[in-house]
Amino acid sequence: MAKDVVEILKEIGKVGLNADGSYTRNAYSKEFFQAVDVIKGFMQELGMKITTDAAGNVLGVLPGNKPELKHIIMGSHLDTVEKGGLYDGAYGVTGALAALFALKEKNIKLNHTVEVYGFNGEEDALGGTFGSRAVTGLIAADNKLLNEGIQTYGHTVEEILACKRDLKNAKCYLELHIEQGERLDEKKINIGVVSGIVGIVRYKVVAHGTSNHAGSTQMFRRKDALVGMSKLIVKGNELCKKIDPDMVFTVGTITCAPGAKNVIPGRVECCFEMRQLEKAKTDALIAAIKAAAPEIPDCDFTFEPEMYAPGVLCNPKIMETLQTVAKTNSLSYVVMPSGAGHDAESMGHHIPIGMIFVPSKDGFSHCKEEWTSDKDLQNGVKVMSGALELLDKEA
Ligand code: HGY
Ligand code: MN
Ligand code: MN
């Protein structure tokens, strides 16, 4: 009996589960490596050759009949955001393995060697998509976040840079993922065939004001950094909508110093994040925000680029294959971009990629409400295994 994706996910669901039903598996955490062990068990059952690397990734390789052919790579991430959901990332890894179990059940042995990655650090740690960027050589030796942060995880920069692999033997990369938005669920569409993954730009923005006594400093004398930062955030929100309705702008982190209830904040630090397929749009937004900053009287601002993950387009031929398989399985589908970042973006800078989305109930993700029906999970695996069979007919 083939291992169903729901069954494999249940095993992952025992790892990193919080009392409120959310999941926390931070990069390099105990829970993360427990999830790696669960995945290794299923990879063993498939007869895969299993390796791990200093970036925390796990890789299973299933040799094909024709070892001279390029490899088909699948995967996603096993880490989660703090108090995230069961499906983000884990569905892509478990779904890839379930697709291989389904082929095994039908006694189908592919000609192409197939690889499955369980990546580490796709969420925010070390700049995001950390494990897949390490494998694809997209982390520069002088990367600030890497140099400042990797020692915390007991590794060296050299060890991470050594995770880079040769992709000359790779045919393509496919990733199964929940949509993390409401479009498929709202329109009752079974499958999203992803056209591209947005670029992600992050800036460290600091508001510099003057700390002072909250009681004795008159309002007109204040240089309140939190008031100033608040005005800049609202301005950024308005500018984003004005420049492009498909662009998104988020300020998800804020630190306020000195952080006392009776002291006017003198320094406030935030991460300004913007996403769009076209870099020109995010460039226009940060330029407009910087131009607006001097008009805010409360404080001065500094802007420091923190991260840039360029957007990538999915391979049109693979997209066609995915649409063909959806049709053969009488599954409705729509071609759509991904507003979320994915490990496929790292791979997409080097080899052809394809992504399959399945619906997220009410669009929730990165929270305990994240949920996808068993049927939708299984539909995605059906498309993935069908695509493997079609791609296997190619060189
Ligand atoms: O932030 C993202 O888009 C991804 O979920 N890490
Ligand atoms: Mn995520
Ligand atoms: Mn994800």
Side-chain angles (χ1 to χ4, degrees):
M1 166 60 175
K3 284 257 173 316
D4 184 84
V5 59
V6 177
E7 188 189 337
I8 306 175
L9 258 174
K10 258 201 192 92
E11 293 310 309
I12 290 277
K14 294 174 185 164
V15 177
L17 179 60
N18 299 314
D20 66 358
S22 64
Y23 288 83
T24 302
R25 287 196 300 273
N26 293 318
Y28 284 110
S29 64
K30 172 171 66 58
E31 296 76 15
F32 171 80
F33 287 113
Q34 285 167 347
V36 167
D37 288 342
V38 169
I39 291 299
K40 278 181 177 173
F42 290 106
M43 287 179 167
Q44 249 142 21
E45 261 192 75
L46 280 163
M48 296 181 112
K49 188 170 145 303
I50 302 167
T51 53
T52 54
D53 65 19
N57 303 312
V58 58
L59 170 64
V61 180
L62 185 64
N65 299 325
K66 297 182 179 167
E68 71 280 10
L69 290 177
K70 291 192 171 187
H71 298 188
I72 296 173
I73 305 177
M74 301 186 280
S76 195
H77 57 99
L78 290 171
D79 64 309
T80 69
V81 291
E82 200 62 36
K83 291 186 168 287
L86 169 59
Y87 306 92
D88 176 13
Y91 172 55
V93 186
T94 57
L97 297 176
L100 294 177
F101 276 115
L103 294 179
K104 188 174 173 186
E105 171 91 353
K106 295 188 323 189
N107 289 321
I108 295 174
K109 189 166 177 339
L110 298 175
N111 292 325
H112 290 77
T113 294
V114 178
E115 303 182 21
V116 177
Y117 273 104
F119 289 116
N120 181 29
E122 191 275 346
E123 299 300 354
D124 207 5
L126 299 161
T129 57
F130 168 71
S132 54
R133 283 187 298 126
V135 162
T136 53
L138 289 176
I139 304 181
D142 63 352
N143 177 293
K144 198 159 171 285
L145 289 173
L146 175 67
N147 280 277
E148 283 168 4
I150 197 59
Q151 283 75 8
T152 353
Y153 301 111
H155 288 289
T156 64
V157 172
E158 294 65 34
E159 284 174 337
I160 300 305
L161 299 178
C163 294
K164 180 180 176 190
R165 68 167 278 176
D166 186 345
L167 285 165
K168 279 204 270 319
N169 71 340
K171 174 181 170 68
C172 63
Y173 173 82
L174 302 173
E175 184 163 352
L176 256 176
H177 208 286
I178 54 169
E179 181 200 342
Q180 299 180 297
E182 58 292 313
R183 184 166 169 184
L184 296 178
D185 183 44
E186 231 162 47
K187 299 202 179 332
K188 299 285 168 263
I189 297 171
N190 302 124
I191 296 289
V193 175
V194 178
S195 54
I197 301 166
V198 293
I200 304 180
V201 176
R202 288 182 186 151
Y203 275 81
K204 182 172 101 174
V205 181
V206 180
H208 305 274
T210 314
S211 294
N212 211 329
H213 195 295
S216 51
T217 311
Q218 291 169 298
M219 293 305 279
F220 70 94
R221 290 185 196 286
R222 294 184 174 205
K223 300 287 285 170
D224 186 327
L226 190 49
V227 170
M229 181 62 91
S230 313
K231 290 176 183 171
L232 191 66
I233 292 170
V234 169
K235 188 73 186 157
N237 190 285
E238 286 160 5
L239 288 165
C240 176
K241 287 181 253 187
K242 209 162 116 203
I243 293 171
D244 185 307
D246 286 341
M247 181 155 56
V248 288
F249 170 73
T250 313
V251 178
T253 57
I254 187 162
T255 47
C256 176
K261 290 173 187 160
N262 59 352
V263 181
I264 300 165
R267 183 186 188 281
V268 172
E269 178 180 323
C270 288
C271 171
F272 279 26
E273 184 195 86
M274 42 214 87
R275 303 189 184 195
Q276 228 284 349
L277 260 177
E278 292 166 63
K279 187 162 181 312
K281 299 280 173 71
T282 46
D283 288 349
L285 178 54
I286 191 66
I289 292 172
K290 285 180 178 175
E295 285 142 47
I296 295 173
D298 313 275
C299 54
D300 302 318
F301 295 94
T302 50
F303 297 84
E304 192 187 321
E306 185 182 272
M307 179 268 227
Y308 167 50
V312 285
L313 294 176
C314 291
N315 177 276
K317 264 180 89 286
I318 295 178
M319 288 170 61
E320 226 172 277
T321 302
L322 298 177
Q323 292 169 67
T324 306
V325 178
K327 270 183 254 175
T328 325
N329 285 283
S330 320
L331 295 171
S332 56
Y333 67 86
V334 65
V335 174
M336 59 188 287
S338 171
H342 300 288
D343 292 305
E345 181 258 311
S346 307
M347 288 285 178
H349 295 295
H350 304 277
I351 56 176
I353 60 167
M355 277 201 83
I356 305 159
F357 275 171
V358 294
S360 295
K361 182 100 181 67
D362 301 326
F364 283 114
S365 182
H366 281 189
C367 56
K368 66 180 182 332
E369 291 74 17
E370 184 181 281
W371 187 80
T372 296
S373 73
D374 291 356
K375 187 81 192 112
D376 285 333
L377 296 170
Q378 289 152 351
N379 285 341
V381 171
K382 239 187 239 165
V383 174
M384 183 61 105
S385 61
L388 288 176
E389 288 189 72
L390 283 189
L391 290 167
D392 197 44
K393 293 182 175 32
E394 300 171 4

